[in-house]
């Protein structure tokens, strides 16, 4: 019986020593390397038949020439109306900040005398438009 206890004790000591050597009895925190997730932004654009350009930026995008661009599932379509005649009332700076009829709609506007600008109707029903850079 004493021999059995001695053999058990030696065996237990061997098991504990082996676990300790392999780190098995460590009660500290186990740390794992955390993977880093990164995503690059892409920009897609298309030139519409009216001469205006629509574009968007997102983690995924696609476009159909002359029809629309799509970023992260949001579509921007080319305007179906002809470009505006460039008068003061159709300039982007004149339209910017004025009220609009329906959030999410677009309209063309004139930028530097050309019908190449665009306005977007914000959720507060005001236009936000392409604006020329300010003079320094």
């Amino acid at each position: 019986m004493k021999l059995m206890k001695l053999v058990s004790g030696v065996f237990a000591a061997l098991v504990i020593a082996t676990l300790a050597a392999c780190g098995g009895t460590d009660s500290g925190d186990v740390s794992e390397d955390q993977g880093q997730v990164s995503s690059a932004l892409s920009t897609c654009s298309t030139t519409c038949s009216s001469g205006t350009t629509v574009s968007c930026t997102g983690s995924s995008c696609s476009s159909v020439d002359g029809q629309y661009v799509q970023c992260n599932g949001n579509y921007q379509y080319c305007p179906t109306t002809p470009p505006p005649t460039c008068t003061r009332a159709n300039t982007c700076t004149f339209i910017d900040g004025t009220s609009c009829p329906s959030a999410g709609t677009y309209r063309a506007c004139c930028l530097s005398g050309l019908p190449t600008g665009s306005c977007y109707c914000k959720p507060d029903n005001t236009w936000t438009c392409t604006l020329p850079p300010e003079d320094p």
Side-chain angles (χ1 to χ4, degrees):
M1 188 74 135
K2 287 185 183 184
L3 182 61
M4 184 71 87
K5 282 187 179 182
L6 181 62
V7 171
S8 304
V10 170
F11 181 73
L14 273 172
V15 170
I16 291 173
T18 303
L19 288 174
C22 295
T25 60
D26 184 14
S27 63
D29 292 335
V30 175
S31 66
E32 294 180 13
D33 291 335
Q34 296 288 327
Q36 297 264 337
V37 175
S38 64
S39 62
L41 293 179
S42 300
T43 299
C44 287
S45 64
T46 189
T47 302
C48 304
S49 60
S50 63
T52 60
T53 300
V54 291
S55 63
C56 64
T57 301
S59 58
S60 67
C61 72
S62 63
S63 66
V64 172
D65 289 339
Q67 294 183 23
Y68 67 85
V69 293
Q70 176 272 129
C71 289
N72 300 339
N74 297 313
Y75 289 80
Q76 290 185 28
Y77 293 91
C78 285
T80 56
T81 59
T85 304
C86 291
T87 63
R88 182 180 187 283
N90 286 329
T91 61
C92 299
T93 54
F94 183 78
I95 297 169
D96 189 65
T98 62
S99 63
C100 54
S102 178
T105 58
Y106 289 86
R107 70 167 283 179
C109 64
C110 296
L111 184 64
S112 302
L114 299 173
T116 57
S118 178
C119 297
Y120 170 75
C121 187
K122 298 186 300 184
D124 67 354
N125 286 14
T126 59
W127 291 112
T128 183
C129 302
T130 308
L131 297 176
E134 292 186 27
D135 293 330

